[in-house]
């Protein structure tokens, strides 16, 4: 109930962006997780071609975040958000309507470009509209995003009972509705005229050593957050011998987010500095990979439901700790990013930050995946991927702590806790 009152206390624009993120993640996760299976099993494409189609989408998105951020600064975040959702509508519809490789590649490119546009633009608009309540706004944003990431795969699994095209058309329909809603409801804001070129904006942001150091220090957060889709589900399946155990990892996060995200952010916001809580969240994220070590490398199948449940508990505890760490750090990370530079370059800073995070996630997933391959040999090697994640979390926490103590991080004034309308 308190969360609902907090939502009502925000302007209509922010409430729409929260619903928008719920819809974005629902539409994305009801389609993309099943795309590889559709391409390989239904269309008979080789693994190499499947990899190309998926890689094109990732490259289009991660490589163009900076373009999306600059567009939000110069054209206005509202228009870029609407354009991004409209483009993804077309991209997802193409997945349903086309079977040929050229059409599928076009769909992948459009879907990636759409994400590169609206991801930094949404965060730019949110940061500008929320003012001193940025932390709470991004906390709620996280709740809606996590909920969509759970609802999407569940809805996608149900739609696959019909066929893949039903999933793709449903996802396209969701983005079409979001496009219309934003065009009708999202208020337009005046955009100050640009004083220099786009490349000068990029040089200014990239030349901000404090910001770049912070972005690099946060590499661990995005690497570990991605293990919610790689290492932890695999660990849950291996420990219990049940494929459905992977879904419990997402369920734990969604329930925890709804119950605790806003409470955590509100409790920490007026106590201590942002750098302190970001570092604490990263430590918690790293420690999340300690409990699953208890069942890592389990080869024998569980003896009944009770044994499977007991084996699942360490992995689910790890998932809970990881989500709690994200809930502690992420709202304050999002709050700090605009404080590194001029308000007119908020989108550019978000774009660069997410480009760095995308590269980090790709490299981190590759490293963890390699560690998982080695862990398959059994013995002490089974602990390797979990130990790597622990080290990544602690290293990032150390980096943020050093930046905080050296006075490199911008100082945000502790804002009074807002009273819900």
């Amino acid at each position: 109930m308190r969360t609902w009152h907090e939502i009502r206390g925000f302007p209509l624009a922010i409430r729409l962006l929260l619903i928008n993120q719920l819809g974005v993640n629902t539409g994305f996760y009801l389609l993309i997780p099943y795309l590889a299976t559709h391409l390989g099993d239904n269309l008979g494409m080789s693994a190499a071609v499947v990899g190309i189609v998926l890689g094109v989408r990732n490259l289009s998105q991660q490589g163009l975040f900076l373009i999306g951020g600059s567009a939000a600064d110069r054209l206005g975040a509202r228009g870029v958000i609407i354009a991004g959702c409209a483009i993804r509508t077309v991209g997802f519809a193409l997945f349903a309507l086309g079977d040929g490789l050229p059409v599928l590649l076009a769909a992948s490119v459009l879907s990636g470009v759409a994400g590169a546009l609206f991801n930094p633009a949404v965060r730019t608009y949110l940061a500008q509209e929320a003012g001193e309540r940025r932390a709470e706004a991004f906390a709620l944003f996280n709740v809606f995003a996590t909920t969509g990431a759970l609802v999407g795969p569940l809805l996608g699994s149900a739609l696959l009972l019909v066929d893949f095209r039903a999933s793709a058309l449903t996802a396209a329909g969701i983005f079409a509705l979001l496009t219309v809603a934003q065009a009708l409801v999202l208020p337009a804001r005046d955009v100050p005229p640009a004083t220099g070129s786009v490349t000068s904006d990029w040089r200014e942001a990239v030349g901000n050593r404090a910001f770049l150091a912070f972005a690099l220090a946060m590499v661990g957060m995005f690497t570990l957050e991605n293990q919610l889709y790689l290492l932890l589900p695999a660990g849950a399946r291996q420990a219990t011998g049940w494929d459905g155990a992977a879904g419990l990892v997402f369920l734990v996060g969604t329930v925890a987010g709804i119950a605790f995200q806003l409470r955590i952010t509100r409790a920490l916001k007026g106590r201590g500095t942002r750098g302190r809580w970001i570092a604490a969240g990263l430590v918690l994220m790293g420690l999340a990979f300690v409990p699953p070590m208890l069942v890592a490398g389990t080869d024998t199948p569980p003896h009944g439901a009770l044994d499977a449940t007991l084996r699942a508990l360490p992995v689910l505890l790890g998932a809970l700790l990881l989500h709690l760490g994200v809930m502690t750090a992420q709202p304050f990370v999002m709050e700090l990013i605009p404080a590194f530079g001029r308000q007119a370059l908020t989108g550019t800073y978000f774009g660069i930050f997410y480009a760095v995070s995308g590269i980090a996630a790709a490299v981190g997933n590759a490293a963890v995946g390699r560690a998982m391959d080695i862990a398959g040999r059994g013995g002490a090697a089974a602990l390797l991927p979990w130990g790597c994640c622990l080290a990544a979390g602690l290293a990032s926490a150390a980096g943020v702590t050093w930046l905080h103590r050296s006075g490199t991080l911008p100082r945000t004034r502790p804002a009074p806790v807002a009273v819900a309308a």
Side-chain angles (χ1 to χ4, degrees):
M1 184 61 70
R2 189 172 184 177
T3 300
W4 174 247
H5 285 300
E6 185 73 26
I7 294 171
R8 291 181 61 193
F10 279 106
L12 177 61
I14 290 182
R15 281 181 274 166
L16 176 60
L17 291 179
L18 296 178
I19 297 172
N20 176 78
Q21 193 59 26
L22 173 65
V24 164
N25 274 19
T26 299
F28 180 86
Y29 285 105
L30 77 83
L31 174 67
I32 296 301
Y34 308 105
L35 179 57
T37 302
H38 169 65
L39 297 177
D41 295 349
N42 298 341
L43 302 185
M45 294 183 174
S46 67
V49 174
V50 172
I52 290 173
V53 173
L54 298 179
V56 163
R57 193 205 67 79
N58 286 328
L59 182 62
S60 300
Q61 180 162 318
Q62 307 299 344
L64 296 178
F65 271 135
L66 185 53
I67 301 296
S70 294
D73 289 335
R74 290 175 170 264
L75 304 177
R78 175 183 180 271
V80 178
I81 294 170
I82 295 171
C85 282
I87 292 173
R88 183 158 281 182
T89 301
V90 176
F92 279 6
L94 284 178
F95 278 126
L97 302 176
D99 294 339
L101 183 58
V103 175
L104 293 171
L105 287 175
S108 292
V109 169
L110 290 175
S111 300
V113 169
L117 289 176
F118 63 66
N119 275 346
V122 165
R123 287 156 180 82
T124 299
Y125 200 112
L126 199 67
Q128 293 171 346
E129 287 290 315
E132 292 187 342
R133 299 177 65 194
R134 284 176 184 165
E136 290 96 332
F138 280 112
L140 289 170
F141 190 81
N142 197 23
V143 172
F144 278 76
T146 304
T147 304
L150 174 68
V151 173
L154 296 177
L155 181 57
S157 298
L159 289 170
L160 283 177
L161 297 176
V162 181
D163 62 14
F164 178 82
R165 285 178 172 78
S167 296
L169 290 175
T170 301
I174 290 173
F175 278 97
L177 289 175
L178 293 176
T179 303
V180 173
Q182 291 154 2
L184 294 177
V185 179
L186 202 60
R189 296 287 181 261
D190 292 334
V191 182
T195 56
S197 65
V198 173
T199 54
S200 68
D201 291 346
W202 294 352
R203 284 196 298 269
E204 179 179 338
V206 173
N208 189 329
R209 294 182 179 180
F211 169 68
L212 282 185
F214 178 69
L216 292 174
M218 296 309 302
V219 161
M221 185 179 82
F222 291 99
T223 298
L224 299 188
E225 192 175 5
N226 268 264
Q227 301 319 307
L228 290 168
Y229 310 102
L230 179 62
L231 182 57
L232 283 167
R237 286 191 294 266
Q238 182 181 25
T240 63
W242 176 45
D243 288 341
L248 297 178
V249 171
F250 300 104
L251 180 61
V252 165
T254 303
V255 173
I258 294 172
F260 302 120
Q261 174 67 87
L262 192 58
R263 289 185 174 90
I264 290 173
T265 302
R266 289 171 66 93
L268 300 181
K269 183 177 179 181
R271 303 174 185 175
T273 59
R274 304 300 187 258
R276 171 186 175 185
W277 297 124
I278 292 171
L282 288 167
V283 169
L284 194 56
M285 291 178 70
L287 293 177
F289 294 88
V290 174
M293 291 183 181
L294 298 174
V295 293
T298 302
D299 294 326
T300 58
H303 303 290
L306 178 59
D307 188 27
T309 301
L310 293 176
R311 292 186 185 189
L313 288 179
V315 181
L316 296 181
L317 175 59
L320 176 60
L321 291 175
L322 182 57
H323 280 288
L324 290 174
V326 172
M327 285 188 274
T328 299
Q330 196 173 69
F332 298 125
V333 172
M334 296 294 104
E335 182 188 27
L336 270 186
I337 291 172
F340 279 99
R342 296 185 287 121
Q343 183 178 0
L345 295 185
T346 297
T348 301
Y349 276 88
F350 272 115
I352 293 176
F353 187 80
Y354 273 92
V356 172
S357 72
I359 296 171
V363 174
N365 273 353
V368 173
R370 175 58 179 159
M372 291 171 67
D373 290 337
I374 298 174
R377 301 171 186 172
L383 304 179
L384 181 60
W386 309 97
C388 289
C389 290
L390 169 62
L394 297 181
S396 276
V400 172
T401 300
W402 181 81
L403 293 174
H404 168 59
R405 291 180 176 176
S406 65
T408 303
L409 299 181
R411 296 185 179 274
T412 56
R413 293 180 300 143
V417 176
V419 179

